[in-house]
């Protein structure tokens, strides 16, 4: 009997230690984001769901070196108790002229380093003189292949995938329209190198000029150079599974079948050799990542015209996007919650939550807000929602100005259990 009692006591001690360690690991966990405002200020973030005030970090600091290995003074040091929401925007701008790990893009790029690579910005949380957690602002160009032993048996429709909304809507737009047309501030190559794995394209056609990325009726940039960036990235990171969603075709308003076929010919010429055919894979929760890797084709191309997509064996049928058309953060959260609860895959195992606020025509008319301001409001909350509540229930999460949230890290942590 005493042996049995000792066994149960040991069991409950282990359970207590497990949850205690888990609480410690979450409380004070840190990450860096970049503000969605044009200035691009570095933001300090830390997890605040602590069991007690005694567990709460006492200070948060920003360094240009790994605080575990060096002892120089920090760039920024703040009293964490003054910011109970776990957020602080610094006045330090992030605008690096290079990508670490030899991942700068140029035509013919052929040598890069796999794995994650840090920019010279590190965040750390402390309680007294003790280091609780630290992390760096980093690129993660090969995060799927880096975790292939864990991810291999998971189905593509069950993992959390970080994505961008209106992925090609970046660059220079003159005048006030830039505040309402642009949804990103990094090019496609850089999005992929940071770890984005879902790209949302809206395509327009202009006679004698060709196909462009559009934001509704506003054209942004030529399509074909973006396709070449995808090709180059996948050549250097062949085990990364990319979902390319040609979701809408807003211009001309009557996008005829012949334009679809002309567009598909261009896509096939540049990306066809990388495209994973959907043969028998668009059922249930989709193929496992191992099954995709075994086919040596890791680009899933979804096409937003069902009948046209069925004509081409290498195109997947349309992917469902849950877009709430919301103006307030609390309304967006409720919409996303209901979408997750009610989702049911039918013809495509992949589905996307469009996790951004939408500007109304009256907002534009009175210049009441901008895409960047709305993204700033939303991005601060998204990381919490999916880290604490919805990560295991969601599939693709597409955001605006993606460096303003921590969804890439949240996806990796959710998928790997780390």
């Amino acid at each position: 009997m005493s042996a049995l009692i000792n066994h149960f006591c040991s069991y409950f001690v282990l359970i207590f230690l497990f949850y205690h360690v888990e609480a410690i690991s979450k409380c004070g966990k840190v990450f860096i984001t970049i503000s969605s405002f044009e200035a691009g200020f570095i933001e300090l973030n830390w997890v605040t769901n602590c069991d007690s005030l005694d567990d709460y970090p006492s200070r948060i600091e920003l360094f240009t070196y790994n605080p575990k290995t060096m002892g120089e003074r920090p760039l920024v040091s703040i009293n964490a108790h003054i910011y109970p929401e776990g957020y602080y925007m610094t006045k330090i701008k992030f605008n690096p002229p290079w990508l670490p790990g030899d991942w700068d893009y140029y035509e013919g790029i052929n040598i890069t380093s796999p794995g994650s690579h840090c920019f010279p910005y590190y965040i750390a949380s402390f309680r007294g003189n003790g280091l609780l957690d630290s992390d760096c602002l980093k690129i993660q160009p090969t995060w799927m292949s880096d975790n292939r032993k864990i991810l291999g048996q998971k189905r593509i429709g069950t993992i959390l995938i970080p994505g961008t909304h209106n992925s090609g809507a970046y660059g220079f737009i003159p005048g006030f329209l830039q505040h309402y047309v642009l949804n990103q501030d990094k090019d496609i190559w850089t999005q992929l190198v940071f770890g984005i794995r879902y790209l949302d394209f809206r395509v327009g056609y202009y006679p004698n000029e060709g196909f462009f990325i559009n934001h509704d009726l506003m054209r942004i940039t030529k399509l074909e150079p973006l396709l070449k960036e995808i090709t180059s990235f996948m050549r250097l990171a062949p085990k990364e599974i990319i979902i390319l969603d040609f979701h809408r075709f807003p211009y001309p308003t009557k996008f005829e079948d012949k334009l679809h076929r002309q567009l598909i010919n261009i896509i096939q010429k540049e990306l066809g050799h990388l495209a994973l055919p959907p043969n028998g894979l668009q059922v249930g929760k989709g193929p496992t990542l191992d099954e995709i890797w075994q086919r040596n084709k890791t680009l899933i191309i979804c096409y937003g015209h069902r009948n046209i997509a069925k004509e081409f064996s290498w195109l997947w049928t349309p992917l469902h996007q849950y877009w709430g058309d919301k103006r307030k953060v609390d309304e967006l959260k409720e919409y996303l919650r209901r979408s997750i609860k009610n989702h049911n895959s039918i013809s495509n195992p992949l589905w996307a939550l469009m996790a951004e606020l939408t500007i109304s025509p009256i907002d534009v008319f009175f210049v009441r807000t901008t895409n960047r301001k709305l993204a700033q409001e939303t991005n601060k909350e998204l990381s919490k929602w999916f880290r604490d509540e919805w990560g295991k229930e969601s599939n693709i999460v597409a955001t605006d100005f993606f460096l303003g949230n921590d969804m890439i890290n949240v996806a990796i942590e959710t998928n790997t259990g780390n």
Side-chain angles (χ1 to χ4, degrees), residues 18 78 108 136 149 179 216 228 239 345:
F18 171 79
I78 62 168
C136 66
K149 291 183 179 179
H179 301 306
D216 293 329
K228 293 184 184 298
K239 296 299 184 183
S345 295

Side-chain angles (χ1 to χ4, degrees), residues 129-190:
N129 292 323
L131 176 66
L132 294 179
D133 187 38
S134 65
D135 201 359
C136 66
L137 181 61
K138 55 186 174 289
I139 60 169
Q140 301 185 83
T142 56
W143 68 263
M144 285 182 160
S145 56
D146 295 342
N147 295 286
R148 58 189 175 276
K149 291 183 179 179
I150 300 174
L151 298 179
Q153 294 303 307
K154 296 181 182 291
R155 296 193 176 276
I156 193 69
T158 66
I159 65 170
L160 186 60
I161 299 172
T164 48
H165 161 244
N166 268 345
S167 306
Y170 63 85
F172 175 74
I173 297 293
F176 80 101
L177 283 176
Q178 65 178 302
H179 301 306
Y180 308 104
V181 170
L182 301 183
N183 297 98
Q184 307 299 331
D185 52 12
K186 302 298 177 188
D187 59 30
I188 296 300
W189 171 268
T190 304

Side-chain angles (χ1 to χ4, degrees), residues 3 22 116 129 133-134 196 203 209-210 216 235 239 247-248 295 304 343-344 378 417:
E22 185 180 48
S116 62
N129 292 323
D133 187 38
S134 65
I196 291 297
V203 179
E209 295 183 85
D216 293 329
R235 176 169 48 82
K239 296 299 184 183
H247 197 76
R248 290 179 52 222
R295 287 166 168 78
H343 169 72
N344 183 30
T378 309

